Amino acid sequence: MYKLDFDHPSSIYFVGIGGISMCCLAELLADAGFRVSGSDRAPSPLTHVLESKGIKVFYGQRAENMTDPIDCVVFTSAILPDNPEYIAAHEKQLPCLTRGQLMGQIMKNYQMPVAVSGTHGKTTTTSMISEILLQADLDPTLSIGGILKDIGSNMRIGKSGYFVTEACEYTNSFLDFFPRIGIILNIEADHLDFFRDLDDIRNSFRKFAELLPENGCLIINGQIENPDEITHNLKCPVVTFGPDDNSDYHPADIHYNSLGCPTFTLYGPGNRERQFTLQVPGEHNIYNAMAAVALADRLSIDSGITVRALGAYRGTDRRFEYKGSIGGVTVIDDYAHHPTEIAATLKAAANYPHKRLWCVFQPHTYSRTKAFLKELAQALTLADKVVLTDIYAARENDDLGISSEDLLREVQSLGQECHYFSTFDETENFLLENCINGDMLITMGAGDVMKIGENLLGR
């Protein structure tokens, strides 16, 4: 494997440089003196930021982009072997790294690297931790899977030994990381285009936990089924959070304000008691907050700072994000694309003032839609009205014989009103004709479905 020499920076080319995590790595290397360039399919706000920092970005991925001297090429898992730059890199016999391998090498430069893993909640929890470290003046380096409102970016380059990043299990990329503290928020079936089954996924999370050194720590959700399989005989201490006093951290006296945001008492080790009020809605955010508090305590951050920081946290881009209102209809956007995430978001929305709850859902990948067809349909019944768009294929080319019309029939079979439109224009026109004053509209999915709400607000 190619090893970066941070004392002698080299030339690194990123294929897919505009990705939410790839752009962080590119900026980190550029800041460290590396000569960074790369390509992406089209311009975006993230590539514009890179260009403003002097990083060369090619639009359109072509072999002829790779003419300058290049010491190493970095790929994401979304780049397939038929990609022309992938082919060119291998024909030129250039050293290659995956995004995870590069992240692992970068983490070695920090004294306190923290990796946040789990099927759901990584971006929100990483953002909560970031808020705490920033308010504690610890000058962290941050790599977040969404835009943190308080810094207006998905990354921050600090000068201390603190480094916080998300750790995604897809293609086992997080097994190339070198964390000192690891967080496991939950473990559920997902990415079944790569993993065989839930047992295969659990095995990967066990291997992730085994990466942690003796002087590190694992913070894990005690609600995970058979957590001992993940934590047994680890070298490091284990801290748990969960719904009751079987866990080291557990909440009590939970209540919600008129916008669905929780206030709760948190009990920690030694019967330590603190009250938290969040500005983000839903029970699932209580669990994200507990993981963040457990980390803050592990780092000996003053409790008052932790309470204030979580109280000030205003959310992350595309996580129950208020976009605006049109004709008295509140428009929210959310990244949820797994059945558990969809259910959590719609349950949170139930506590938000509205007459009828509309969910415009864009299924994400054919493999996920096929694997979770019934579960997706069941989760969507938590909305009053459902509207489906075409499946967002992302990295996939094979439709596996599945379409949004299959999901439409599944939702309707549960007695739920559901509509499907093949274009965003049709969807927007339908919503304009049918949403009424007092309704709430959530655009939901990991693709480009947010454009529907943004287009409506622009009319």
Side-chain angles (χ1 to χ4, degrees):
M1 184 194 304
Y2 180 84
K3 300 288 186 184
L4 273 69
D5 185 346
F6 286 85
D7 292 324
H8 301 90
S10 51
S11 178
I12 311 296
Y13 187 92
F14 287 79
V15 182
I17 198 168
I20 194 76
S21 59
M22 289 281 273
C23 66
C24 289
L25 297 174
E27 195 168 335
L28 278 167
L29 290 187
D31 184 74
F34 286 79
R35 298 176 300 282
V36 176
S37 60
S39 66
D40 217 298
R41 290 178 295 179
S44 70
L46 295 177
T47 61
H48 293 327
V49 169
L50 295 176
E51 289 176 308
S52 73
K53 296 180 182 296
I55 294 172
K56 174 64 177 176
V57 180
F58 297 93
Y59 294 110
Q61 292 170 341
R62 298 176 293 270
E64 53 265 33
N65 294 341
M66 305 174 69
T67 55
D68 292 337
I70 295 171
D71 296 306
C72 179
V73 181
V74 182
F75 296 99
T76 69
S77 56
I79 302 301
L80 301 177
D82 61 356
N83 181 286
E85 293 184 357
Y86 183 98
I87 294 170
H90 286 82
E91 286 178 347
K92 294 173 182 286
Q93 297 184 326
L94 295 173
C96 295
L97 291 174
T98 66
R99 183 198 65 85
Q101 289 169 338
L102 175 57
M103 179 67 82
Q105 293 193 35
I106 288 173
M107 292 175 82
K108 285 184 173 182
N109 290 333
Y110 294 86
Q111 292 154 341
M112 187 59 71
V114 177
V116 181
S117 75
T119 315
H120 325 292
K122 293 185 290 293
T123 296
T124 296
T125 305
T126 303
S127 299
M128 288 178 168
I129 291 167
S130 299
E131 194 80 47
I132 293 169
L133 297 185
L134 289 169
Q135 291 218 18
D137 292 326
L138 293 179
D139 194 20
T141 296
L142 308 172
S143 174
I144 308 169
I147 304 299
L148 180 61
K149 296 183 188 302
D150 282 353
I151 63 173
S153 177
N154 63 315
M155 74 154 309
R156 177 186 189 273
I157 298 175
K159 300 302 180 186
S160 74
Y162 293 94
F163 179 85
V164 184
T165 185
E166 296 183 29
C168 182
E169 73 277 11
Y170 185 56
T171 67
N172 281 329
S173 64
F174 66 169
L175 299 187
D176 290 312
F177 287 14
F178 290 90
R180 182 165 166 187
I181 298 180
I183 295 175
I184 300 178
L185 297 167
N186 35 63
I187 304 175
E188 293 189 34
D190 198 8
H191 301 303
L192 296 178
D193 57 326
F194 175 78
F195 293 107
R196 290 190 308 275
D197 50 28
L198 181 57
D199 286 340
D200 191 22
I201 297 169
R202 288 175 60 86
N203 181 57
S204 288
F205 276 95
R206 167 65 193 189
K207 289 179 179 177
F208 171 74
E210 289 174 345
L211 297 174
L212 299 167
E214 190 173 345
N215 66 345
C217 179
L218 174 66
I219 299 168
I220 186 170
N221 187 342
Q223 268 195 310
I224 292 171
E225 186 176 355
N226 297 324
D228 288 348
E229 289 183 358
I230 310 298
T231 62
H232 181 64
N233 282 343
L234 291 180
K235 294 177 290 187
C236 66
V238 176
V239 174
T240 60
F241 61 94
D244 52 44
D245 58 10
N246 290 323
S247 296
D248 297 313
Y249 290 83
H250 58 278
D253 307 320
I254 301 170
H255 57 277
Y256 298 88
N257 68 12
S258 60
L259 298 179
C261 300
T263 293
F264 59 97
T265 301
L266 180 61
Y267 292 95
N271 264 345
R272 189 177 187 183
E273 181 180 335
R274 286 164 285 184
Q275 188 175 73
F276 290 86
T277 296
L278 304 182
Q279 290 193 54
V280 286
E283 181 185 43
H284 60 291
N285 277 318
I286 296 175
Y287 283 79
N288 295 333
M290 285 195 288
V293 173
L295 173 69
D297 287 352
R298 186 75 190 177
L299 299 179
S300 300
I301 292 173
D302 180 81
S303 185
I305 291 175
T306 302
V307 172
R308 288 195 302 274
L310 288 179
Y313 172 66
R314 297 177 295 123
T316 310
D317 187 40
R318 300 221 61 212
R319 272 66 180 180
F320 209 88
E321 181 185 8
Y322 173 78
K323 303 291 286 189
S325 63
I326 176 173
V329 177
T330 300
V331 180
I332 303 288
D333 181 57
D334 197 273
Y335 188 72
H337 53 285
H338 182 280
T340 300
E341 297 167 347
I342 295 166
T345 298
L346 294 179
K347 286 177 182 176
N351 292 311
Y352 199 100
H354 64 274
K355 290 180 179 177
R356 299 179 303 176
L357 174 58
W358 291 79
C359 179
V360 180
F361 179 61
Q362 181 184 49
H364 189 257
T365 72
Y366 300 112
S367 58
R368 183 180 284 111
T369 306
K370 186 168 186 175
F372 296 115
L373 188 68
K374 292 186 181 297
E375 293 86 349
L376 288 168
Q378 189 64 53
L380 288 168
T381 63
L382 293 171
D384 297 312
K385 312 278 186 180
V386 179
V387 179
L388 301 176
T389 73
D390 278 331
I391 294 170
Y392 190 84
R395 56 188 171 268
E396 297 181 342
N397 296 316
D398 185 352
D399 67 12
L400 304 175
I402 198 78
S403 74
S404 289
E405 291 175 279
D406 295 301
L407 182 55
L408 171 75
R409 288 188 286 272
E410 198 68 38
V411 174
Q412 290 176 336
S413 74
L414 298 174
Q416 176 69 35
E417 180 181 335
C418 187
H419 307 268
Y420 158 73
F421 299 99
S422 61
T423 69
F424 282 7
D425 277 345
E426 292 174 285
T427 304
E428 292 160 19
N429 289 333
F430 174 81
L431 294 169
L432 283 172
E433 292 172 5
N434 290 277
C435 290
I436 62 173
N437 188 358
D439 285 355
M440 179 162 66
L441 168 66
I442 300 181
T443 55
M444 184 180 289
D448 58 355
V449 68
M450 83 290 289
K451 292 178 181 176
I452 291 174
E454 291 170 354
N455 290 342
L456 290 173
L457 292 168
R459 294 193 180 189

